[in-house]
Amino acid sequence: MADEGFKRKLTAILSADVEGYSRLMGDDEEATVRTLTSYREVLSTLIQQHNGKVLDSPGDNLLAEFVSVVDAVQCSVAVQKEISARNSELPENRRMQFRIGINLGDVIQEEGRIYGDGVNIASRLEGLAEPGGICISKTAFDHIESKLPYGYEFLGDQTVKNIAKPVGAYRVLMQPRVTVAGEPEKEKRLPGRRIPVFIGVATVLVLAIVIGVWQFYVRRPTVKTASEEKMAYPLPDKPSIAVMSFNNMSGDPELDYIGDSISENIISALAKIPYFFVIARNSTFFYKDKQVKVTQIGRELGVRYVLEGSFLKSGEKVRINAQLIDALKGHHVWSETYNRPWTDLLSLIDEITLAVMKPLVEEVGVPWPEKPELGKLTNFDAWLLSSKAVFHGDKMTREDLAKAINLTKQSIDIEPHSKTYGLLANLLMWNARMGWATSPEESMKQAKEMIRKALDMDDSNPIPHLALGQMLLHQKKYNDALAEYQKALDLFPNWDFGHYQLGRALLFSGQPKKAVSAFKEAKRLNPHCSWFFPALLGRAYFHTGRYAEALAEYEEVHKICSRGECNMLFPHIYLAMVYSKLGNDKEASDHMEKALEYNPRFNLEARRSISLFKNKEDTDREIDALRKAGAPEHPPS
């Protein structure tokens, strides 16, 4: 009855403290507190990234729990590597080293805290760890011995304070090892019996290797697993990945665009490979600054792998942590920490891209590309300017668009590049479409010139093909536009916006059935898409008479716009349309009235225009009516 009201559970416990904390405080209290605050943020971030949770952090101590021992150990290794790298930039007498202990044990949980021997053992193991080291219990070791690429040294059975029985302890050797250093005393043999033991061990190792090879090559599991049932979307029949925006650990928000650009460059390189499935940047950036577990991201986006990381710029140096995670199984496939000069960032992005590409290529069983197309600028200053231009262009405001155009032009002055010419063409066209250009005609003329330069420089770049397609579509040259969009997708098969634009061209050229497929592919690549994706998919359904499916898409538009992402005028118009077709005049009338409330200028004339396509499938009339109401055709690319 003593435990009544308490909840027990088995959990992986991490306990950490600072070695020599009292000495550091005695030498310089303010500097120690600043360093500790910074390092505690590092620990908290890495614990979150490894699916853990900080439970308490009094003074220089920190207590966290993990569902998996694997996650706890991998997190600890990442922590020690990061702290070591940061310490290298401090004077020797100011360096702060953590000791970490890990145990797997039964605990009592009460109001967000945990108690019991499981916690106490983790704390005692922490005391056995060397400064900058990790010590784990035998219970924890038994769960990870063959699951991680680290070595372990058996420290024997340790008698620790307030724990009745001796605790088996192992030191984690953070460099890749395949053998376990040391063995428990009770398992050691007399010298005269070593040869049979070695023979036995060798036999076991040979069998393990044979079985491992057979498992890997013959019984190698496919992408599909039982956990697919929890996926929001069916898992693709090819290696699928989401690349998250790299967290800015530099403390300077002006550098946020760097994390986006690192991710975008990796996405662009991976997305050009037809036997990969790569989620669009808009959907991965949806999770920025949100505390979401990797496994949840994988489920919501319907992918197997998630790449996440962080960067820290310090002076003229940059440090990047990157890790590829199998979101289905919840373990790390690959991780690495890089320390380079700031100006080497471009080559570093290429290294990370190729490192991530390797396990995906091995999974699909195809030859390694002789020369993977990474396709970015080579001049560092030009790349920084174009990256900042994309960052501002994404904000889609008049001021940010002007900044984006100016930054892109500066980038071109340093390094003319097909990609940047294509970007500038898209920005100029959008500026003209929005009515923000001083002379829309001149802006479109400049865009046309940028497209010509881009294609003359590199016809294999998909961006100018897409820009040309948009220009041709605006001129209602539908067949020519379709051809350009198809060229763009042949070069960039995972481009969500390319599929969206292809869908527009198909819809406006009177091929709504084909448009449905293109829009659905766009949404699958970009699950957290903007409102205009479901809006046009709904329109395509509408024109094929699939009104119930159109209603579902328009309700999604309504949900997205309710969060403030677009004018509520548009979802009410769409819902009025489809409810009218479904014969629900009351709902149709209610939504039309709400549309009028949002925009009184949406007058009877425009209202009559809407009624024209209630009874006649005329897309041009629909577009004209929506344009009168102030609806843009689409956002910038």
Side-chain angles (χ1 to χ4, degrees):
M1 296 296 292
D3 289 345
E4 186 174 349
F6 294 119
K7 177 183 177 182
R8 284 191 172 276
K9 64 179 181 180
L10 185 67
T11 191
I13 307 133
L14 179 152
S15 179
D17 78 343
V18 176
E19 188 271 335
Y21 180 68
S22 297
R23 175 189 61 78
L24 291 169
M25 287 292 285
D27 291 346
D28 190 333
E29 287 186 348
E30 291 188 4
T32 299
V33 170
R34 282 196 299 270
T35 304
L36 178 61
T37 300
S38 173
Y39 284 11
R40 187 180 284 140
E41 289 178 0
V42 171
L43 266 72
S44 297
T45 299
L46 288 172
I47 287 168
Q48 178 193 325
Q49 290 178 356
H50 288 80
N51 304 313
K53 180 182 180 182
V54 176
L55 300 176
D56 200 7
S57 55
D60 66 316
N61 297 107
L62 183 143
L63 182 68
E65 69 170 342
F66 298 79
V67 175
S68 162
V69 180
V70 171
D71 282 337
V73 173
Q74 288 186 316
C75 175
S76 300
V77 172
V79 163
Q80 296 295 29
K81 287 184 177 181
E82 176 67 17
I83 295 299
S84 175
R86 292 191 177 217
N87 278 337
S88 65
E89 299 170 4
L90 296 176
E92 189 169 348
N93 66 330
R94 298 307 313 155
R95 294 174 183 176
M96 187 174 287
Q97 291 186 305
F98 283 80
R99 299 177 301 179
I100 297 177
I102 296 172
N103 180 41
L104 177 68
D106 184 77
V107 298
I108 293 174
Q109 181 177 6
E110 182 189 24
E111 296 181 353
R113 293 177 178 271
I114 56 176
Y115 306 91
D117 279 354
V119 179
N120 296 334
I121 290 172
S123 178
R124 301 297 178 255
L125 290 166
E126 164 204 298
L128 296 174
E130 297 177 341
I134 304 163
C135 188
I136 66 176
S137 67
K138 186 177 187 306
T139 308
F141 170 77
D142 289 342
H143 280 73
I144 63 169
E145 178 181 2
S146 61
K147 296 179 181 177
L148 293 174
Y150 307 128
Y152 308 91
E153 179 183 355
F154 185 62
L155 303 178
D157 292 332
Q158 302 286 325
T159 301
V160 295
K161 183 179 178 182
N162 295 332
I163 302 298
K165 295 181 179 181
V167 177
Y170 286 80
R171 178 182 295 121
V172 179
L173 308 175
M174 289 179 275
Q175 298 303 318
R177 294 279 293 272
V178 294
T179 59
V180 177
E183 59 179 349
E185 290 293 332
K186 64 181 180 181
E187 295 176 2
K188 289 186 177 180
R189 303 291 186 237
L190 295 174
R193 297 184 64 184
R194 284 183 179 173
I195 293 176
V197 170
F198 290 156
I199 293 173
V201 170
T203 302
V204 171
L205 286 175
V206 170
L207 285 172
I209 292 169
V210 171
I211 293 171
V213 170
W214 180 72
Q215 289 279 352
F216 188 81
Y217 288 102
V218 180
R219 294 195 59 208
R220 190 177 182 186
T222 61
V223 173
K224 295 185 177 182
T225 66
S227 57
E228 275 189 63
E229 298 170 2
K230 300 178 182 178
M231 291 285 176
Y233 301 88
L235 203 61
D237 59 356
K238 58 179 74 174
S240 51
I241 184 171
V243 181
M244 315 309 291
S245 177
F246 278 53
N247 292 329
N248 176 15
M249 307 288 285
S250 306
D252 181 0
E254 292 296 319
L255 292 175
D256 282 352
Y257 76 95
I258 294 294
D260 290 357
S261 195
I262 292 171
S263 171
E264 184 181 15
N265 278 268
I266 296 171
I267 289 172
S268 295
L270 296 176
K272 290 176 182 176
I273 300 177
Y275 41 83
F276 290 171
F277 179 89
V278 185
I279 291 291
R281 61 191 290 273
N282 304 72
S283 279
T284 57
F285 289 6
F286 172 83
Y287 296 97
K288 283 180 63 175
D289 303 321
K290 296 180 180 179
Q291 295 186 355
V292 183
K293 292 184 177 180
V294 168
T295 49
Q296 180 182 338
I297 293 172
R299 287 196 304 268
E300 292 181 356
L301 299 180
V303 294
R304 178 168 184 174
Y305 299 106
V306 175
L307 176 70
E308 62 177 9
S310 61
F311 76 95
L312 170 67
K313 182 180 184 295
S314 179
E316 294 306 309
K317 294 184 178 180
V318 65
R319 178 162 57 253
I320 292 183
N321 291 317
Q323 49 193 0
L324 181 65
I325 301 165
D326 186 326
L328 291 183
K329 298 180 179 178
H331 69 247
H332 290 65
V333 177
W334 165 87
S335 64
E336 190 58 80
T337 299
Y338 303 86
N339 290 280
R340 299 289 173 80
W342 173 241
T343 52
D344 284 355
L345 182 56
L346 287 179
S347 60
L348 182 50
I349 293 172
D350 288 351
E351 281 187 46
I352 296 171
T353 302
L354 294 173
V356 171
M357 195 181 294
K358 186 176 181 181
L360 272 64
V361 168
E362 289 175 351
E363 179 186 321
V364 81
V366 297
W368 178 257
E370 289 185 11
K371 186 180 180 183
E373 179 54 53
L374 302 174
K376 62 176 179 356
L377 283 73
T378 56
N379 183 281
F380 185 56
D381 291 330
W383 179 81
L384 287 174
L385 288 165
S386 68
S387 297
K388 193 175 289 188
V390 172
F391 182 77
H392 283 289
D394 283 346
K395 296 183 178 180
M396 293 190 289
T397 67
R398 184 170 189 163
E399 181 181 5
D400 281 297
L401 192 59
K403 287 181 181 178
I405 290 172
N406 185 45
L407 288 165
T408 308
K409 289 179 178 178
Q410 292 179 46
S411 176
I412 290 173
D413 288 342
I414 297 174
E415 181 188 2
H417 194 283
S418 176
K419 180 178 179 179
T420 325
Y421 280 130
L423 172 62
L424 182 55
N426 278 305
L427 293 171
L428 289 168
M429 282 193 288
W430 182 240
N431 205 34
R433 296 276 183 83
M434 290 299 294
W436 294 337
T438 305
S439 170
E441 294 78 11
E442 180 60 27
S443 190
M444 292 297 285
K445 181 179 177 181
Q446 291 178 17
K448 187 176 182 179
E449 177 63 16
M450 294 303 104
I451 292 170
R452 184 191 64 77
K453 287 185 176 182
L455 292 176
D456 286 347
M457 181 173 287
D458 183 6
D459 187 59
S460 66
N461 190 325
I463 296 177
H465 285 292
L466 190 87
L468 179 56
Q470 292 185 77
M471 185 168 285
L472 292 167
L473 183 61
H474 184 67
Q475 298 168 358
K476 297 186 179 180
K477 297 179 179 178
Y478 299 122
N479 290 335
D480 292 338
L482 285 168
E484 292 301 321
Y485 289 145
Q486 194 56 60
K487 288 179 184 177
L489 288 172
D490 288 343
L491 296 165
F492 200 164
N494 283 280
W495 199 358
D496 65 312
F497 199 67
H499 288 283
Y500 166 79
Q501 290 289 14
L502 177 65
R504 288 183 70 234
L506 289 166
L507 178 63
F508 298 164
S509 63
Q511 303 177 68
K513 289 184 179 180
K514 291 182 178 180
V516 166
S517 297
F519 289 135
K520 287 176 70 175
E521 183 66 18
K523 284 190 67 180
R524 179 63 186 91
L525 288 163
N526 190 355
H528 292 296
C529 55
S530 297
W531 66 272
F532 46 90
F533 277 49
L536 282 197
L537 177 53
R539 198 180 296 182
Y541 280 137
F542 184 90
H543 288 297
T544 55
R546 297 162 67 176
Y547 302 124
E549 290 161 296
L551 177 61
E553 296 300 322
Y554 291 151
E555 285 176 341
E556 184 178 344
V557 176
H558 186 277
K559 180 180 178 181
I560 294 172
C561 293
S562 296
R563 300 197 296 258
E565 296 184 27
C566 67
N567 192 321
M568 287 296 293
L569 167 70
F570 309 127
H572 286 305
I573 293 173
Y574 298 140
L575 288 167
M577 289 163 42
V578 74
Y579 274 122
S580 178
K581 274 292 188 182
L582 289 169
N584 192 332
D585 293 337
K586 183 181 184 306
E587 287 286 353
S589 177
D590 288 346
H591 283 289
M592 186 59 72
E593 293 304 321
K594 288 177 181 177
L596 290 171
E597 290 175 12
Y598 278 96
N599 188 351
R601 292 183 300 169
F602 186 55
N603 54 30
L604 289 175
E605 180 183 349
R607 194 171 177 178
R608 291 193 198 99
S609 298
I610 289 289
S611 69
L612 289 173
F613 59 83
K614 278 173 53 180
N615 301 306
K616 183 180 179 182
E617 295 182 0
D618 190 331
T619 305
D620 285 337
R621 286 180 182 272
E622 176 184 352
I623 295 168
D624 290 340
L626 290 175
R627 190 179 291 118
K628 288 179 182 179
E633 290 183 39
H634 62 85
S637 60

